[in-house]
Amino acid sequence: MKKLFVMAAIFATSGCTVAKTDPLAFKTKGQSMELSMLDGREVKYTAYLNIPYVTNVEDENYQTLNFFVPEGATQKSPILLRTYVGGYMAAAAKNPSATDATGRALAEGMCVCIPGARGNNSMQGDVYTGKAPNGLLDLKAAVRYLRYNDKRMLGSAERIITDGTSAGGAMSALLGATANHPDYEPYLKAMGAAKAKDNVFASVCYCPITDLDHADMAYEWLYADLREDAATARRIGQQFDEYINGLHLRNPKTGETLTEENYMDYMKSWLLASASRFVQEGGVIPDSLGFSFYLHFPHTPGHRPGGPRLIRAKAQKTEIASEIDLDKYLPYVASVRPLKPYPAFDNLESPECELFGDVQGVPAHFTGVVSDDVKKRVRMMNPMCYIGDSKSTVAPHWYIRHGALDRDTSFPIPVNLATKLMNEGRNVDFALPWNRNHEGDYNLDDLFRWIRSIL
Ligand code: DHB
């Protein structure tokens, strides 16, 4: 009896409890692997595969993550969390690829996490399990798993950088914008997500298809003149003016409030910046695309005419795009890939209506008059609703790209996302890269230069 008492006292003071297995504690055995990079380098890494990240797994094909640790990684190495969600469909955990940011991250010594997530096509029996916001909840649960196990795994969960393209770009934006918000808490609890936070350090968003409830009005605001029924399209587009007036965004350069009066010029300024950068890097833009340029001589004033400094000044001249005629540029965009049919998003054939559909798989409209349930789910899928909300932990660093040729959503959508983040004091690297279409993980030199700059 005395012995039992002493043992109990030892357990109590040492904090030990009867050994209970913790289903979310990282204990996966790793496998050694190698990735051949395009430049011939072999990157050695350890792969930890098929790790369930919730306790109430509903779909074992998707609710798992893979984790990869390159040789030489430490407890402090950043973690690139890459989602392959596309079309808002389910995406399984995968292996890293030499041709995208995952392989590059390993080669740069970063850990990589590739979580699976359910999507608008996920089913168990005849029930749909991945309608909104479930795919996002899965990704949040994966982040929580990394945070929960931070000490047990290499890499730092304080330095998670999310990355995705298109619907995946939207997911990356949502991970960055909605973290720790109580709206998602009951769902994550019910799924058996790890008890941890889900905020991330940075979000990389390529062509995010987001702000879905305003995407149609923004699309018609920009493209109405190219529509067969331009009058109807213009009527829808006018709703965007009201939306812009209500957003109270500010031009980050001038501080000026953005309204229907000045918004078009503001949006154009991002296209002008794109064209300027392209020509400054040696590119040529044909006049038919509607851009005007002027030559800027930075050191001309005060120089002796014909003197040696003038010659140097000439060498430093830069060409700057000063105006864009959208009546020429937008038909060019639509000539490369035809515009989406009207309405671009809230039509029952779209991936977005599938996303907001019900468990029987019936697609749902998500703009105009909708049920409270759909309204709530639409809000939970919109990062714009959470940036500036003191209950969410918005990532401090953002890298957002949307190609200047990308018509999958209209330019105001990424412009507004970037602007709202800038207005909220976040560090945002935003561009509409010239001649880029709907694609992701490009110009990795630029991306990884930026990543190094924030670390
Ligand atoms: C994607 C593309 C779209 O045009 C869209 O509406 C939704 C998703 C995608 O590629 O993920």
Side-chain angles (χ1 to χ4, degrees):
M1 184 68 194
K2 193 173 168 198
K3 205 167 162 189
L4 254 180
F5 177 78
V6 170
M7 286 212 11
I10 290 170
F11 274 126
T13 50
S14 66
C16 287
T17 51
V18 180
K20 243 205 268 168
T21 54
D22 174 353
L24 290 179
F26 174 75
K27 50 187 170 300
T28 308
K29 256 185 122 54
Q31 315 169 22
S32 295
M33 295 201 166
E34 267 186 29
L35 185 65
S36 305
M37 299 300 289
L38 299 182
D39 61 6
R41 269 183 302 171
E42 295 291 327
V43 179
K44 290 192 165 71
Y45 64 95
T46 307
Y48 303 88
L49 304 175
N50 302 319
I51 307 172
Y53 50 67
V54 288
T55 52
N56 300 326
V57 175
E58 192 169 37
D59 191 331
E60 61 192 22
N61 294 320
Y62 295 108
Q63 291 178 296
T64 64
L65 62 82
N66 291 347
F67 193 70
F68 307 100
V69 178
E71 225 174 36
T74 70
Q75 207 68 47
K76 290 212 169 92
S77 305
I79 301 171
L80 183 83
L81 184 147
R82 171 66 151 95
T83 169
Y84 285 95
V85 167
Y88 284 106
M89 290 183 293
K94 297 208 304 180
N95 283 311
S97 158
T99 57
D100 69 20
T102 55
R104 176 65 178 262
L106 287 177
E108 301 248 347
M110 296 170 60
C111 297
V112 172
C113 174
I114 305 182
R118 294 167 298 169
N120 56 15
N121 56 342
S122 300
M123 293 185 86
Q124 290 292 304
D126 50 9
V127 172
Y128 282 82
T129 57
K131 300 299 182 183
N134 292 0
L136 171 61
L137 296 171
D138 285 350
L139 296 172
K140 281 175 170 289
V143 172
R144 289 189 173 197
Y145 183 92
L146 296 179
R147 285 189 159 276
Y148 184 70
N149 286 296
D150 199 14
K151 295 221 165 65
R152 299 183 191 100
M153 301 168 81
L154 285 175
S156 168
E158 295 299 333
R159 296 171 132 196
I160 296 174
I161 300 164
T162 64
D163 174 28
T165 298
S166 193
M171 290 298 194
S172 182
L174 283 158
L175 288 171
T178 69
N180 303 334
H181 197 283
D183 280 1
Y184 305 86
E185 203 52 51
Y187 303 90
L188 287 160
K189 198 168 175 198
M191 290 160 65
K195 288 196 179 72
K197 293 189 168 172
D198 53 61
N199 51 305
V200 298
F201 181 64
S203 288
V204 175
C205 314
Y206 285 96
C207 52
I209 298 283
T210 196
D211 198 1
L212 299 174
D213 34 332
H214 304 102
D216 274 329
M217 57 178 82
Y219 208 81
E220 302 313 323
W221 175 83
L222 190 64
Y223 291 117
D225 289 350
L226 302 180
R227 293 301 205 186
E228 218 172 308
D229 182 358
T232 305
R234 276 192 210 107
R235 226 176 13 254
I236 303 295
Q238 275 168 5
Q239 297 172 10
F240 182 72
D241 285 337
E242 217 173 289
Y243 177 52
I244 277 299
N245 293 337
L247 270 181
H248 304 293
L249 297 174
R250 277 170 285 111
N251 181 327
K253 282 211 180 101
T254 64
E256 189 184 19
T257 301
L258 295 169
T259 66
E260 63 182 294
E261 301 295 329
N262 57 13
Y263 185 82
M264 180 61 93
D265 282 342
Y266 176 67
M267 187 212 73
K268 282 178 170 179
S269 74
W270 291 103
L271 287 167
L272 294 172
S274 168
S276 294
R277 181 165 174 186
F278 179 66
V279 295
Q280 284 159 25
E281 287 171 354
V284 176
I285 297 179
D287 291 346
S288 60
L289 299 195
F291 286 85
S292 313
F293 294 89
Y294 68 90
L295 280 177
H296 179 62
F297 297 90
H299 297 299
T300 307
H303 292 167
R304 281 175 293 130
R309 288 159 90 194
L310 181 60
I311 292 166
R312 195 171 70 222
K314 260 196 163 163
Q316 287 173 345
K317 76 182 181 203
T318 45
E319 219 172 344
I320 293 179
S322 56
E323 188 43 278
I324 169 177
D325 179 353
L326 289 181
D327 291 339
K328 290 189 177 152
Y329 186 66
L330 296 179
Y332 166 61
V333 173
S335 73
V336 179
R337 272 174 77 219
L339 294 182
K340 287 182 164 183
Y342 171 84
F345 295 90
D346 194 7
N347 77 74
L348 291 177
E349 308 281 294
S350 73
E352 290 78 13
C353 285
E354 296 285 350
L355 179 68
F356 295 114
D358 63 18
V359 293
Q360 273 92 46
V362 180
H365 285 296
F366 56 93
T367 62
V369 181
V370 298
S371 69
D372 285 348
D373 170 63
V374 169
K375 206 183 285 174
K376 181 172 164 192
R377 292 158 61 210
V378 169
R379 188 182 148 78
M380 287 171 79
M381 293 301 289
N382 192 339
M384 297 293 283
C385 300
Y386 293 89
I387 301 162
D389 179 337
S390 61
K391 293 206 230 52
S392 56
T393 314
V394 179
H397 304 286
W398 293 74
Y399 182 94
I400 303 172
R401 294 290 183 271
H402 175 106
L405 259 189
D406 185 347
R407 68 17 144 197
D408 272 52
T409 195
S410 63
F411 304 126
I413 297 298
V415 165
N416 290 350
L417 175 66
T419 305
K420 187 151 189 181
L421 288 161
M422 290 178 203
N423 289 172
E424 290 295 326
R426 296 306 184 274
N427 168 36
V428 186
D429 186 324
F430 173 56
L432 304 173
W434 183 255
N435 245 355
R436 281 283 177 190
N437 214 314
H438 192 63
E439 52 195 304
D441 277 16
Y442 49 74
N443 201 347
L444 293 178
D445 287 347
D446 189 68
L447 173 63
F448 280 83
R449 202 178 306 121
W450 179 78
I451 289 177
R452 281 192 297 272
S453 80
I454 61 167
L455 287 171

